[in-house]
Amino acid sequence: MEKTSSLSSNAWLFAAITVGILGLLTVLGGLPPQDQMLPFVAGAAIMIAITVGIGLLGWHLLARPMPAQHKHISWPILSGWARHLAALFMVLGVTSIAIGSVWDEVWHSEYGIPFGEDFFWRPHIMMYFGFTVVIVMAGWGWFSILRSGQGSLQQRFRADPVMGFTILAGTFLVYALPADPLWHAVYGEDITSWSLPHIVLLLMVMVIAIAAVALQSSLQSVREWSIVRGIGWRDGLIALALVSMLLTSMLLLTVDWYGQAIGAVERSVVAERPDWLLTSMIMGVAVLVALIGVHATRTVGFATLLGLLAVAGRLFLDNVLSTTLPGVNPLLVALPLMIAVDVWHGLWLRYAPGLPPFWSTALVLTAVLSIFSLPLVHQLFIYPTVDVQNAPMMLVAGLLTALIIVWMGQQVGGALASIERVESTEPLVAPRLRWADALIYVIFVVFTIFFIMTATPPIA
């Protein structure tokens, strides 16, 4: 996705860690009975193979060395205003997915709903709308790359790697979206929220959010690092994309723990998991989004902004979508970690040269986990309780998680900060484009409110 050597040179390590995390989540999500194990393994192997295959396709088109006779041609596939429009709709798509996901979880918790009767209820329709928007944007990019591109397919994708990455995101989604109902048709109802199709869709949401940030970043000039710099209007899209990524990821990876507080999930589902797993999930999601945000914008303070927006957004959605459920907001546990990312980067930039090494950030985050986040977990969640027996292992697991995720977040954020910029962004300063943005936002907000407020709960 970017021309610098950092992420490209570590692509195989990055991919191996990602596949390893996906596999770990699938296993911990719950395995079927022994007599169903062989079909389950076969289905999982097929899904993982297809996912890896799409990843290899992306590597071939965007990172694999081209033949010597193929020279690199660089030109933006879309003009400045069209590129911004694509970024805007990609962000609205991933925002729809995030709102629909929270809405889906709230309604499932409040009304139950037998398996199979929720495929076309309104929360799912809102998610389908978001997925459709992303696929349309990717199709637009594919049409543009074929119409205006030159040379081989590799050369066309390398000419505008950000748009090429967006096309690959849509291609991945075309496969991942029908995989979930097909999986259910073969294997039945999920044991927990961590079914393999859900994990693949979560990966997809992350890819979509990163693609949206990449599109918008490519329209802005390369920045120098700054502390608490004023956020411009174009940074709003970046913030909204990453907040949506944070909301969706935190929901899926922690819902089993707070779901059992209201009887939506059996206690045995989470009681069989290691005590340290919840804190590691919260640490991983919060730190990944925080590091991507800070490094992509090169702005200390951006992680705190993301955390506050996510907490406020989740509280608002919980209160709008339900008036009866006792909400448990895991983002409250994540917020101190995201603030710590900003504070540590700010102190380092002020008193030391360069950026803090990933291991130092991991150590600081582990300290914050022990002082602030673990007491919050003990206070907010029924399970696990934090005591002298399991706290040391929580800290060890948290440190290992932080070491891996901080490195990954720095890699992705650094790649986004240094991607190739389009040569001219002059059309973006036109007042009419800001009015167009405002109009699209207003239409989206009004429609979303209407869509939610006129929805009839499935069970009185």
Side-chain angles (χ1 to χ4, degrees):
M1 186 172 56
E2 46 106 19
K3 296 175 66 176
T4 58
S5 60
S6 178
L7 186 57
S8 298
S9 61
N10 293 302
W12 291 108
L13 177 58
F14 194 94
I17 292 174
T18 302
V19 172
I21 293 174
L22 293 179
L24 177 64
L25 291 176
T26 302
V27 172
L28 292 174
L31 296 175
Q34 191 63 36
D35 59 339
Q36 300 178 18
M37 184 63 70
L38 184 58
F40 174 83
V41 172
I46 292 172
M47 286 199 67
I48 292 174
I50 295 174
T51 302
V52 172
I54 295 175
L56 289 173
L57 175 63
W59 169 77
H60 170 74
L61 293 173
L62 295 175
R64 184 180 183 181
M66 289 191 297
Q69 65 271 23
H70 290 178
K71 55 182 182 177
H72 177 72
I73 307 170
S74 179
W75 77 93
I77 295 173
L78 299 178
S79 62
W81 72 268
R83 196 181 193 85
H84 173 71
L85 195 63
L88 175 63
F89 278 100
M90 288 284 285
V91 171
L92 293 183
V94 77
T95 303
S96 297
I97 296 169
I99 295 173
S101 299
V102 175
W103 189 4
D104 183 59
E105 181 269 325
V106 169
W107 267 19
H108 271 300
S109 299
E110 190 160 2
Y111 302 111
I113 312 304
F115 170 71
E117 296 183 13
D118 61 346
F119 283 131
F120 294 105
W121 67 356
R122 285 208 178 182
H124 281 193
I125 292 174
M126 189 159 193
M127 289 189 282
Y128 299 153
F129 168 77
F131 290 133
T132 302
V133 168
V134 174
I135 293 173
V136 169
M137 290 300 102
W140 182 21
W142 177 251
F143 172 77
S144 300
I145 208 172
L146 292 180
R147 181 189 61 181
S148 60
Q150 301 175 17
S152 67
L153 201 57
Q154 270 187 318
Q155 288 174 300
R156 292 168 188 255
F157 270 73
R158 304 289 175 87
D160 192 343
V162 174
M163 202 63 224
F165 183 73
T166 303
I167 295 170
L168 286 169
T171 303
F172 193 175
L173 187 54
V174 170
Y175 139 72
L177 191 56
D180 184 48
L182 181 60
W183 181 274
H184 288 311
V186 175
Y187 300 104
E189 189 173 358
D190 293 325
I191 300 174
T192 72
S193 62
W194 292 5
S195 68
L196 184 56
H198 288 176
I199 299 301
V200 171
L201 281 173
L202 175 59
L203 176 63
M204 192 65 256
V205 170
M206 292 181 173
V207 170
I208 294 169
I210 291 170
V213 173
L215 281 168
Q216 188 64 11
S217 296
S218 68
L219 293 167
Q220 303 180 17
S221 58
V222 178
R223 307 178 182 184
E224 298 296 329
W225 277 92
S226 62
I227 300 176
V228 195
R229 180 183 59 83
I231 304 299
W233 67 281
R234 294 182 216 164
D235 292 324
L237 289 183
I238 295 176
L240 190 54
L242 293 177
V243 167
S244 299
M245 173 179 166
L246 179 58
L247 284 171
T248 309
S249 304
M250 194 67 74
L251 169 70
L252 181 66
L253 295 178
T254 64
V255 66
D256 287 342
W257 279 274
Y258 65 82
Q260 53 111 16
I262 54 177
V265 177
E266 294 182 7
R267 182 181 176 87
S268 60
V269 170
V270 294
E272 293 174 358
R273 293 175 179 171
D275 290 347
W276 50 264
L277 190 57
L278 173 62
T279 50
S280 294
M281 291 296 102
I282 295 174
M283 166 82 85
V285 172
V287 172
L288 180 64
V289 174
L291 265 296
I292 290 176
V294 169
H295 282 259
T297 61
R298 292 179 175 170
T299 302
V300 175
F302 205 77
T304 301
L305 173 65
L306 295 176
L308 291 173
L309 289 175
V311 169
R314 182 61 200 259
L315 288 173
F316 175 78
L317 288 173
D318 282 344
N319 282 279
V320 168
L321 299 173
S322 174
T323 58
T324 60
L325 292 177
V328 177
N329 194 341
L331 290 163
L332 294 173
V333 181
L335 186 58
L337 298 167
M338 302 183 76
I339 295 173
V341 168
D342 277 331
V343 172
W344 181 239
H345 277 71
L347 290 173
W348 190 279
L349 288 170
R350 187 178 182 88
Y351 298 109
L355 293 172
F358 78 97
W359 56 265
S360 68
T361 305
L363 289 174
V364 169
L365 290 170
T366 305
V368 172
L369 178 70
S370 66
I371 298 171
F372 297 102
S373 296
L374 288 187
L376 285 171
V377 168
H378 185 77
Q379 181 71 25
L380 294 174
F381 290 85
I382 295 177
Y383 178 87
T385 56
V386 181
D387 52 39
V388 293
Q389 282 77 32
N390 59 15
M393 189 59 202
M394 288 180 173
L395 294 178
V396 171
L399 175 60
L400 293 175
T401 301
L403 287 169
I404 295 171
I405 299 301
V406 168
W407 178 82
M408 294 181 74
Q410 288 179 344
Q411 294 287 309
V412 176
L416 291 169
S418 57
I419 57 176
E420 188 173 355
R421 264 59 178 177
V422 296
E423 292 184 1
S424 175
T425 60
E426 184 177 353
L428 293 180
V429 302
R432 65 179 179 274
L433 189 62
R434 299 192 184 189
W435 281 109
D437 278 4
L439 179 61
I440 293 172
Y441 279 123
V442 169
I443 292 173
F444 175 77
V445 170
V446 170
F447 171 77
T448 300
I449 293 173
F450 170 81
F451 195 68
I452 291 175
M453 299 307 294
T454 59
T456 303
I459 298 176

